[in-house]
Amino acid sequence: MPIWALYSLVVLIWGSSWYGIEQQLGVVAPQVSLAYRFLLSAAILIAFCALTRRSLKFPRAAYLLMAVQGLCLFCGNYILFYFAGAHLVSGLLAVCFSTMSMMNIVNLAIFFRQKIDGRAFVAALIGLTGLCLVFYPELSDSGLGSEPALGLGLSLLATYLASLGNMVSVRLKALAIPVIQSNTIGMSFGALFCLGFALAGGASFNYDPRPAYTVSLIGLALFATVIGFGVYLHLVQRIGAARAAYSSVMFPIVALTLSTFLEGYSWSPLAGLGFALVMSGNLLVLWRPRETKLAAAVPQTRST
């Protein structure tokens, strides 16, 4: 598929998936809902690999990396986002997630020794300033110990875990591990980790009978997880983590539009200005002149 088509799929699927996450909250513990989601997703992918005769046998080191990917990308970050969703509307979760583009730049420098230029630093300041303005109306009314502040903190931590998962995907590319197989194994590990967290926390393995829960569960498992992650990580491996994260710039537009109409999110002038700054910062950090090599081109294989 052409790059623009991959981007469009990711934006539409993940931009609307935040509202689906909100529909999962209330009755079933977040880690249990995620265990259901990733078990279903992993089963779909395992069946697909079996039907298409894709081997799931890889070196031991690759399984360790895929376990780390599962913990960061298919477990920990989602558990945090599900808990954050109890304190924020889905559109604001997406705004926080869009900062992953800046986090990827930093993590590429840390793990793959890629230089951070001055423009990336300025872009990060613009984006963080915008994020503060987006949340200022929420925090000014409730204070730093409020639910919005807790939701913001959990969302940013979740986003950083997702960025670490992106770094693992870049590393898996260097080992020539195909995206479909790495997702299959990574999601299987993620589901097991979710089950482990649920059991350790004494969570009840109940089920929400509401149609909205079942529809959102199936939609998140099939579209947001199987198809969404497959397309996104394919982008990461084709054009690099930094440029693939450009798609996250568009998520908040879709998500906040849904929050405005479906969740009653009320825009303030400061929130609008902050949103514009977050988008500008993301665009600036990801923009590259044509003659410049991609910031997240395949790194040289080495221990990190």
Side-chain angles (χ1 to χ4, degrees):
M1 293 180 67
I3 298 299
W4 68 264
L6 294 174
Y7 269 126
S8 298
L9 276 175
V10 171
V11 169
L12 291 174
I13 291 173
W14 278 358
S16 58
S17 69
W18 299 98
Y19 183 70
I21 288 175
E22 293 282 352
Q23 303 306 305
Q24 294 279 287
L25 304 175
V27 176
V28 183
Q31 57 269 44
V32 174
S33 285
L34 284 167
Y36 294 157
R37 172 178 172 178
F38 288 121
L39 283 171
L40 179 57
S41 300
I44 293 171
L45 283 173
I46 290 171
F48 178 78
C49 288
L51 289 172
T52 56
R53 297 183 179 180
R54 284 175 164 82
S55 175
L56 296 176
K57 294 182 180 180
F58 299 103
R60 184 176 299 177
Y63 285 114
L64 179 60
L65 283 173
M66 286 183 276
V68 174
Q69 184 187 49
L71 180 62
C72 292
L73 201 57
F74 304 121
C75 177
N77 77 308
Y78 271 100
I79 288 177
L80 291 174
F81 266 125
Y82 272 48
F83 278 111
H87 309 288
L88 295 174
V89 297
S90 59
L92 292 180
L93 297 178
V95 173
C96 291
F97 185 72
S98 73
T99 62
M100 186 175 66
S101 58
M102 290 172 276
M103 294 182 184
N104 278 353
I105 295 292
V106 174
N107 280 332
L108 285 167
I110 293 172
F111 295 105
F112 299 107
R113 302 177 187 177
Q114 294 192 13
K115 183 180 178 181
I116 300 178
D117 59 22
R119 180 178 58 198
F121 179 75
V122 172
L125 290 179
I126 293 173
L128 290 176
T129 300
L131 192 64
C132 291
L133 292 178
V134 167
F135 279 90
Y136 179 78
E138 304 274 346
L139 298 179
S140 63
D141 293 336
S142 306
L144 292 178
S146 64
E147 289 195 2
L150 178 59
L152 173 61
L154 291 173
S155 296
L156 291 176
L157 181 57
T159 302
Y160 188 73
L161 282 179
S163 179
L164 291 179
N166 276 214
M167 298 305 105
V168 176
S169 180
V170 172
R171 186 65 175 172
L172 287 170
K173 178 183 179 181
L175 297 176
I177 307 298
V179 171
I180 292 177
Q181 287 93 318
S182 67
N183 274 4
T184 301
I185 297 171
M187 285 181 194
S188 298
F189 276 118
L192 292 176
F193 286 132
C194 288
L195 284 172
F197 284 126
L199 292 171
S204 175
F205 284 82
N206 58 333
Y207 191 82
D208 187 344
R210 291 179 303 123
Y213 182 86
T214 300
V215 171
S216 61
L217 177 63
I218 295 173
L220 288 170
L222 178 58
F223 293 100
T225 306
V226 174
I227 298 175
F229 270 108
V231 174
Y232 178 74
L233 293 181
H234 190 59
L235 272 176
V236 169
Q237 294 201 358
R238 281 182 62 178
I239 64 175
R243 289 198 71 195
Y246 174 82
S247 59
S248 69
V249 176
M250 305 301 294
F251 298 160
I253 297 175
V254 176
L256 279 173
T257 298
L258 291 175
S259 287
T260 300
F261 289 102
L262 300 178
E263 297 177 284
Y265 176 69
S266 179
W267 288 84
S268 69
L270 274 181
L273 175 60
F275 177 76
L277 287 176
V278 172
M279 298 300 99
S280 298
N282 282 323
L283 289 171
L284 181 59
V285 80
L286 296 172
W287 177 79
R288 291 290 183 272
R290 289 186 178 180
E291 65 272 14
T292 303
K293 292 182 179 180
L294 298 181
V298 184
Q300 295 296 318
T301 304
R302 59 188 173 203
S303 59
T304 56

